[in-house]
Amino acid sequence: MPETGSNGRQAAGKRGGRKNKGSEMLLEIENLTKVYRTGTRANDGIDLAVGEGEVFGLLGHNGAGKTTLVNQVVGLLRPTAGSIRIDGRDMVAAPGLARRLCSFQAQAQVPIDGLTPRQAIDLVGQLRGASNADVRRRRERLVDALDLGEWLDVDAARLSGGVKRLVAFAMAAVTPGRLVMLDEPTNDVDPVRRRLLWRQVRTLADLGAAVLLVTHNVIEAERSVDRLAILDEGRVIAEGTPAALKARVGAALRLELVLDPGTPEPPASPFALSAVQVGNRLMVGVPMDRAGEAVTWAEWLKTAGSVEEFTLGPATLEDVYVALVGEMGAEPAETEEAFDATAA
């Protein structure tokens, strides 16, 4: 039997949680602005909407304003200007209600030393109002899905950082709110369990929750989200589905060259639609009908000793991100995790 959410809907067999035309927007953010007393503008007129059953990615480098935005949604920071509504209700006026409607996995590790994962997960589930039986049932499914069984009764002080991140996710997901916010949930998680975690993120959406996912991992975002917004210096600079954003690159293929250390950038090729160098990696946009020419050119560079290796594949979100933001983007003077006297 497929699991059902609080609204009685069955989990979709495919990515049925995607926002459909006419679907309800659960989270609505308009002109959200946060200026710290130092003058740092962490968020600058952000407009976003996230629907029920949707995984919405918030993508950006460290310092782009992602965590500041999430902290305002959950009621931990008061905006300088703008509005935040969940289910049509004003969260700026009622930050306590925001914390009841939202489940939240913070970027920082949760302080659960002295508790076992079983105790920590059950405690949060019960605090959020679920019955002991429901919490136990849901916790057992999450522990099995995330392969956490061997650590279930181990003091959290003895757990690795990656296992603690998985436990923190389970704490947010055991009795999920209508809006689930995950701030860098895969930090320190090993590659195998990272895939398990992404499946559970999808399950949350398929059961009807709106999921706001904060990440700087472009590859994972492309595989996991229905729509996303790219933030830079506190502003949304692009928004849409992964496919729509990739179409902005204008190239169907991406030729990636790993340059030999100390080698200057190769001369521009006649087929290149775009070229961006990040460190010793050169990403070249290639039209589909010139793929053979691109490979011949890359093989010639490798034979000449200018290139260590190369790959040719479909254009990715990373191409969009690098084209829009650059290698890393500018770091603000004050980190986005900072709190000031205006915090709620």
Side-chain angles (χ1 to χ4, degrees):
M1 289 287 293
E3 187 175 354
T4 58
S6 58
N7 59 5
R9 290 188 299 175
Q10 290 187 342
K14 56 182 180 178
R15 297 185 72 169
R18 291 180 180 177
K19 180 179 76 71
N20 296 316
K21 186 175 181 180
S23 66
E24 181 181 351
M25 290 292 102
L26 183 67
L27 171 66
E28 297 171 291
I29 297 172
E30 294 184 0
N31 194 35
L32 189 66
T33 301
K34 177 62 182 176
V35 182
Y36 289 107
R37 287 190 171 184
T38 59
T40 300
R41 188 174 289 268
N43 291 155
D44 189 2
I46 292 175
D47 294 327
L48 291 176
V50 184
E52 292 179 320
E54 180 177 31
V55 180
F56 189 96
L58 205 57
L59 183 64
H61 56 81
N62 293 333
K66 307 182 303 293
T67 296
T68 292
L69 187 151
V70 168
N71 283 337
Q72 290 172 95
V73 173
V74 81
L76 297 177
L77 276 178
R78 186 174 183 82
T80 304
S83 66
I84 302 168
R85 295 186 177 277
I86 299 177
D87 250 356
R89 288 176 278 187
D90 186 349
M91 296 299 105
V92 178
L97 177 60
R99 290 188 280 273
R100 290 195 294 274
L101 291 174
C102 301
S103 298
F104 181 36
Q105 180 183 0
Q107 187 181 63
Q109 291 284 20
V110 289
I112 56 174
D113 289 359
L115 297 174
T116 66
R118 183 196 303 271
Q119 292 168 332
I121 296 167
D122 287 0
L123 177 62
V124 172
Q126 291 159 6
L127 286 174
R128 290 193 58 82
S131 68
N132 291 342
D134 285 344
V135 170
R136 182 172 59 253
R137 174 185 57 82
R138 179 70 175 152
R139 183 247 299 152
E140 289 173 353
R141 291 186 179 184
L142 284 166
V143 167
D144 182 61
L146 298 171
D147 193 23
L148 283 171
E150 64 182 287
W151 296 291
L152 188 58
D153 294 304
V154 176
D155 189 315
R158 296 167 51 195
L159 301 178
S160 69
V163 173
K164 284 185 177 180
R165 291 303 286 170
L166 292 169
V167 173
F169 172 82
M171 292 167 67
V174 65
T175 306
R178 297 202 63 204
L179 174 64
V180 180
M181 294 187 294
L182 307 171
D183 196 345
E184 305 287 3
T186 61
N187 279 359
D188 300 322
V189 177
D190 68 80
V192 173
R193 289 184 176 84
R194 194 178 300 154
R195 292 188 178 187
L196 301 179
L197 189 152
W198 287 125
R199 292 175 192 165
Q200 293 309 301
V201 171
R202 187 74 251 164
T203 296
L204 286 170
D206 288 343
L207 293 175
V211 180
L212 182 61
L213 169 68
V214 177
T215 184
H216 63 266
N217 190 312
V218 184
I219 303 301
E220 290 183 353
E222 182 167 2
R223 291 197 301 257
S224 306
V225 304
D226 299 314
R227 293 188 300 131
L228 72 152
I230 298 176
L231 264 63
D232 186 39
E233 297 183 349
R235 296 185 298 273
V236 174
I237 60 173
E239 181 183 350
T241 65
L245 290 178
K246 283 188 289 184
R248 295 180 57 164
V249 176
L253 299 174
R254 171 209 218 193
L255 175 65
E256 181 173 337
L257 308 168
V258 179
L259 305 179
D260 190 59
T263 300
E265 181 179 336
S269 61
F271 58 78
L273 296 174
S274 62
V276 177
Q277 185 168 347
V278 180
N280 69 331
R281 296 166 58 216
L282 178 64
M283 278 88 64
V284 179
V286 180
M288 185 70 73
D289 60 356
R290 304 191 74 172
E293 185 179 346
V295 170
T296 300
W297 180 69
E299 289 176 338
W300 174 76
L301 289 173
K302 186 174 181 181
T303 301
S306 300
V307 168
E308 291 184 340
E309 61 181 1
F310 67 89
T311 57
L312 180 68
T316 70
L317 266 184
E318 186 175 19
D319 301 308
V320 178
Y321 183 77
V322 171
L324 291 174
V325 179
E327 181 172 354
M328 284 297 293
E331 295 292 338
E334 183 175 353
T335 62
E336 62 186 55
E337 293 82 8
F339 285 73
D340 65 6
T342 65

